[in-house]
Amino acid sequence: MKKVKITAIRKACYQDLMEKYENPIEHACDLEEGQVWIANGYTMPEGFCPSAWETLSQWVLALSHGGQNFYDGWMKNPKSAMISCNDGFRPVSFLLETLEEDAE
């Protein structure tokens, strides 16, 4: 099993949708573009968003166990995936990349 690098690539914010549909909340997503985490195999990295992990975890699991070339060549790097969290108001796009380093 390998470690997987998770990088926050882009964070969108749809203010018009928030104003129209979202109830006011005190704490929204605090992830920032450029943040990096290392998943030790299938273990959620410390400080990572649990809601985003629910979306990404199946991809991290597959990559950490040697999965590659999803959807017949979707990614230029076959040992990677670009996955977005499921927050429809402020989605974050994450680049997942399998590392050569073995998980502990």
Side-chain angles (χ1 to χ4, degrees):
M1 184 168 36
K2 301 292 185 184
K3 291 185 178 185
V4 176
K5 180 179 177 182
I6 304 169
T7 305
I9 299 294
R10 180 166 297 153
K11 181 177 179 180
C13 185
Y14 303 122
Q15 194 64 41
D16 59 329
L17 296 178
M18 286 185 246
E19 290 171 7
K20 188 171 183 178
Y21 299 109
E22 185 179 43
N23 285 322
I25 56 176
E26 290 184 25
H27 179 73
C29 177
D30 57 2
L31 299 181
E32 297 293 330
E33 291 179 7
Q35 279 185 281
V36 175
W37 301 264
I38 303 296
N40 188 24
Y42 182 62
T43 305
M44 182 177 84
E46 187 174 327
F48 197 76
C49 173
S51 180
W53 183 252
E54 288 181 27
T55 305
L56 274 60
S57 63
Q58 63 185 330
W59 295 92
V60 172
L61 176 65
L63 288 166
S64 70
H65 282 86
Q68 60 181 322
N69 202 29
F70 301 110
Y71 304 117
D72 296 322
W74 165 48
M75 297 290 292
K76 290 180 180 181
N77 173 0
K79 295 182 180 182
S80 69
M82 180 68 72
I83 306 297
S84 296
C85 73
N86 58 5
D87 185 335
F89 299 116
R90 57 191 73 73
V92 178
S93 294
F94 297 93
L95 176 62
L96 312 178
E97 300 170 282
T98 305
L99 299 176
E100 293 302 318
E101 186 178 351
D102 288 333
E104 299 167 4

